[in-house]
Amino acid sequence: QSPTMNAETIREARSSRCDKSSMTPSLQAIGQTEIEIIADLAAGDARLGIEILRVAAQNAEQEGRHKIGTADIRDSESHARQEIKRRNLDSLRPIQRTLYTIVHELTTEGEEDFVRPDNLYREYRARVSDPKTDRTVRRHLRKLAHYNLIEIDGTSRDRVYSIANNSPSPMNSIA
């Protein structure tokens, strides 16, 4: 779980990264308003807040500016979210990657935009030589949902799995 992000932790992250010279000079010129916008967009997710800050600084520097503006931040949010999802996908364990691939394939190539557990478990068991228990599979599916790669809707009897909005294709990532 990512640490909680607020305006103060963004200021601390900015200072820490500037001191270590691992971030661009743009970070030294960001106003309180911009920091609070990042905190609001990140909604407590430290990884997202820092990624928005990094992308915004990179964009400002590429455009030859030494100050991060509100537009840089707003323009960076979508890219930051995608980058975090890509990193999450890259870090998946083999069972998680298999499950993500199955959900992706069954929801993009099938007739429905969701997959029921029985179909998911059946497909999983058909693809692996030593399948894990359904309980273990559910635990890994919850982890995929925690990574915002899939969505889980419903209760145990009517549960369905689907790909989260803007989640990358499993083929766009290297295992």
Side-chain angles (χ1 to χ4, degrees):
Q1 171 122 354
S2 181
T4 301
M5 172 65 58
N6 59 32
E8 183 58 34
T9 55
I10 292 171
R11 278 191 292 280
E12 290 170 9
R14 178 196 66 190
S15 296
S16 170
R17 282 168 171 65
C18 286
D19 291 345
K20 294 178 184 174
S21 299
S22 66
M23 296 289 266
T24 65
S26 301
L27 282 180
Q28 297 170 8
I30 183 171
Q32 180 63 29
T33 300
E34 287 78 13
I35 289 173
E36 290 182 9
I37 291 170
I38 292 172
D40 287 344
L41 292 172
D45 183 341
R47 288 180 303 157
L48 179 57
I50 290 169
E51 188 65 18
I52 291 170
L53 180 60
R54 186 191 69 75
V55 173
Q58 186 176 47
N59 291 347
E61 187 167 284
Q62 285 175 350
E63 293 180 13
R65 292 181 279 108
H66 297 286
K67 181 165 173 54
I68 298 171
T70 303
D72 295 314
I73 293 164
R74 298 222 184 268
D75 293 345
S76 300
E77 179 188 11
S78 177
H79 179 76
R81 288 182 188 280
Q82 280 298 109
E83 181 61 20
I84 289 171
K85 282 186 178 186
R86 187 196 59 76
R87 283 189 210 140
N88 285 341
L89 185 57
D90 287 346
S91 71
L92 294 181
R93 294 177 177 194
I95 183 176
Q96 293 166 333
R97 180 171 293 282
T98 299
L99 291 168
Y100 180 75
T101 300
I102 292 168
V103 173
H104 191 274
E105 288 174 3
L106 294 178
T107 58
T108 58
E109 298 169 6
E111 296 174 10
E112 299 178 304
D113 60 354
F114 60 86
V115 60
R116 296 186 191 288
D118 56 336
N119 294 336
L120 177 61
Y121 299 150
R122 185 173 32 258
E123 185 64 27
Y124 166 72
R125 286 191 286 277
R127 290 190 189 198
V128 297
S129 59
D130 186 22
K132 306 294 182 197
T133 65
D134 288 355
R135 182 177 182 175
T136 299
V137 169
R138 283 191 303 274
R139 183 171 45 88
H140 286 291
L141 289 165
R142 284 191 303 271
K143 193 66 167 174
L144 292 174
H146 174 76
Y147 288 155
N148 294 317
L149 293 170
I150 69 168
E151 293 177 356
I152 303 173
D153 293 311
T155 59
S156 59
R157 292 187 188 272
D158 64 347
R159 180 170 295 144
V160 294
Y161 301 95
S162 59
I163 293 296
N165 287 340
N166 300 318
S167 288
S169 165
M171 305 311 155
N172 290 345
S173 185
I174 298 171

